[in-house]
Amino acid sequence: MTDIESRIDTSRPHTARIWNYWTGGKDNYPVDREAGDRIGELHPGIGEYAKADRLFLGRAVRYLAQEQGIRQFLDIGTGLPSADNTHEVAQRIAPDARVVYVDNDPLVLAHARALLVGTPEGRTDYLDADLRDIDTILAAAAKTLDLSQPVALMLLGVVIFIEDDEESYAIVRRLMDALAPGSHLVLSHTVTHPDMPDVDEAVAFWNEHGTPKLTQRTPAAVARYFDGLELLEPGVVSCSAWRPETTSADVAMYAGVARK
């Protein structure tokens, strides 16, 4: 058994594997499917959130590569590989795009090394690190990315795992401070909203039974992550409403894109 395999805990549901289950993936275990179904009973639309967040990633990466000329992506909190990962979307538009993935989930790392293979013209690298390990992330990313040039910092559904508000804001600021002018922040976050009370119940169930625990924030609190940056239209909205290609219902996962 490898070191990574020894770190995989199949006795408790894990958020990355449940997300994978909800989006139709196969990299999950019975304990994850059971928890995913139970959360779905509490909040029937939850599976759509995972799909909406994934579609938002694709639209944001395409926009940045096509419209903003971004050729470098730092994707922290990668999650399990699925269709249209960051490097696939970016390198489809710009084969020379470079992507660094960061995650501390051993199952994600095991699959990333096997599946996330980029174009010959570009680069795709992976890093085993926690979001809090900012110096480690930046030093390792600099081996693949030119941090003197614009980078898209991708933080999709990951700062929800930082419970303390001020710590989470400080992490995002430190990362963006290290990036060049013209860099972009792409961030999504589960929200608590009076119009969606069943989301709170589903999150409470997850935090009692699953790992890692997550923190909801209000839409206004999510918008604060973009302070000091040029927030692009349409602002911080349901990820399904960020420059959608088709009309779909709002979900309790809010997102935005901003330029430094």
Side-chain angles (χ1 to χ4, degrees), residues 64 68-72 146-153 173-185 228-230 232 258-260:
L64 292 175
Q68 298 297 325
I70 298 296
R71 294 294 180 265
Q72 303 188 110
D146 179 357
L147 299 187
S148 70
Q149 298 299 313
V151 174
L153 173 63
R173 282 195 299 271
R174 280 192 60 196
L175 287 166
M176 287 304 298
D177 285 348
L179 302 181
S183 293
H184 288 70
L185 171 63
L229 304 173
E230 179 190 351
L232 305 183
R259 181 189 299 110
K260 178 177 177 178

Side-chain angles (χ1 to χ4, degrees), residues 72-192:
Q72 303 188 110
F73 297 81
L74 177 57
D75 187 337
I76 304 177
T78 305
L80 284 162
S82 63
D84 281 346
N85 301 288
T86 298
H87 76 284
E88 293 172 320
V89 178
Q91 292 176 351
R92 198 175 296 141
I93 296 164
D96 61 339
R98 297 186 171 206
V99 179
V100 173
Y101 290 105
V102 182
D103 209 298
N104 66 346
D105 182 328
L107 188 61
V108 171
L109 292 167
H111 283 275
R113 290 173 180 170
L115 300 178
L116 299 179
V117 179
T119 60
E121 303 95 325
R123 288 278 301 278
T124 307
D125 287 329
Y126 333 96
L127 173 62
D128 179 3
D130 186 272
L131 174 61
R132 296 177 176 87
D133 300 333
I134 298 173
D135 292 339
T136 299
I137 290 172
L138 292 172
K143 297 177 182 179
T144 299
L145 309 178
D146 179 357
L147 299 187
S148 70
Q149 298 299 313
V151 174
L153 173 63
M154 314 286 294
L155 296 173
L156 273 67
V158 63
V159 292
I160 61 176
F161 301 118
I162 307 296
E163 181 178 3
D164 183 82
D165 288 344
E166 296 309 316
E167 181 186 9
S168 71
Y169 293 129
I171 287 170
V172 176
R173 282 195 299 271
R174 280 192 60 196
L175 287 166
M176 287 304 298
D177 285 348
L179 302 181
S183 293
H184 288 70
L185 171 63
V186 182
L187 183 145
S188 68
H189 197 298
T190 303
V191 297
T192 179

